[in-house]
Amino acid sequence: MKLLTSLTSPYGRKLRVIAHELGLSLKVEDTAPMNDPAALLAANPLGKVPALVLPDGSTIIDSPVIAAFLLASVPGQSLMATSGPGHWEARTTEALADGVLDAAIILRFNMTQGITSGPWVDRQYRAIERALAVMNGRVGGSGFGDICIAVACDYLTFRFPELDWRTHNPALADLTDLLLATPAFQVSQPSA
Ligand SMILES: N[C@@H](CCC(=O)N[C@@H](CS)C(=O)NCC(=O)O)C(=O)O
């Protein structure tokens, strides 16, 4: 299996950590989405990373879908319940963490165009703040949810070092510090 992703994509990192924890081998192909490489557009017409290319050439796109595929590839995995309330709680935690990333990436794209203030920018910061507070109360719900949370928090540290998300969210801070020390997070550290 080949994962097309940039080495800084937090969505890609989420999948690399999950694959590592599941013991799945994933070949990572460094892919810069903004250059519209042909291999990426063939895998994902939306031009976004990550995209997973399977041995038969078929593709799976969008990190929650790819994550679900990876989990389903390992029967008996212990990262997430496969049904019931625990399953939906973990997936909702993923949606919260991904939503933090979506807002952070909007902010980054705006910054590259010199837009650093205004109602649309403020809205993203407010969404991040609210989601972090909710995620702070969801730590420990599942291994999968915890990975999603720590990936999002570490992305904030990476791209928004001035944003103090730790002070008001001590459970997020403790979880992120704990998971950053694990081999899966170590080998998937974003390289600028
Ligand atoms: N919902 C998607 C979001 C993926 C995404 O936004 N990826 C960014 C890079 S981190 C990207 O490829 N951006 C290029 C673009 O939006 O054209 C997922 O979870 O995979």
Side-chain angles (χ1 to χ4, degrees), residues 5-6 8-12 14-15 31-34 36 40 44 46-51 61-66 94 98 101-102 105 109 155:
T5 187
S6 77
T8 53
S9 167
Y11 309 96
K14 174 179 71 177
L15 300 175
T31 304
M34 300 311 277
D36 282 342
L40 176 61
N44 183 359
L46 300 173
K48 289 178 192 265
V49 294
I61 62 166
D62 209 44
S63 67
V65 184
I66 301 171
E94 178 183 32
D98 283 0
L101 295 174
D102 295 343
I105 280 167
F109 277 122
Y155 185 75

Side-chain angles (χ1 to χ4, degrees), residues 18-188:
I18 290 164
H20 192 288
E21 295 298 351
L22 291 173
L24 294 172
S25 146
L26 211 52
K27 181 172 182 287
V28 173
E29 195 161 293
D30 189 6
T31 304
M34 300 311 277
N35 296 341
D36 282 342
L40 176 61
L41 297 185
N44 183 359
L46 300 173
K48 289 178 192 265
V49 294
L52 185 70
V53 183
L54 299 180
D56 68 0
S58 62
T59 57
I60 301 177
I61 62 166
D62 209 44
S63 67
V65 184
I66 301 171
F69 173 81
L70 296 177
L71 289 162
S73 305
V74 181
Q77 56 78 25
S78 58
L79 286 182
M80 177 171 53
T82 51
S83 63
H87 175 81
W88 300 112
E89 187 198 323
R91 296 202 61 167
T92 301
T93 300
E94 178 183 32
L96 282 167
D98 283 0
V100 166
L101 295 174
D102 295 343
I105 280 167
I106 289 172
L107 290 170
R108 289 255 314 153
F109 277 122
N110 279 345
M111 280 173 187
T112 61
Q113 294 167 46
I115 304 166
T116 54
S117 63
W120 181 237
V121 167
D122 292 347
R123 186 168 177 76
Q124 307 313 314
Y125 279 113
R126 287 200 305 272
I128 291 173
E129 195 178 313
R130 287 192 305 262
L132 289 175
V134 172
M135 283 155 56
N136 192 59
R138 297 176 81 105
V139 166
S142 66
F144 177 79
D146 283 354
I147 289 168
C148 298
I149 289 173
V151 165
C153 289
D154 197 45
Y155 185 75
L156 293 178
T157 300
F158 175 52
R159 291 302 197 195
F160 299 84
E162 72 291 347
L163 200 144
D164 176 21
W165 55 268
R166 288 176 170 267
T167 303
H168 296 296
N169 301 294
L172 297 184
D174 289 348
L175 172 74
T176 303
D177 290 342
L178 190 73
L179 292 193
L180 284 183
T182 62
F185 272 83
Q186 290 281 310
V187 298
S188 60

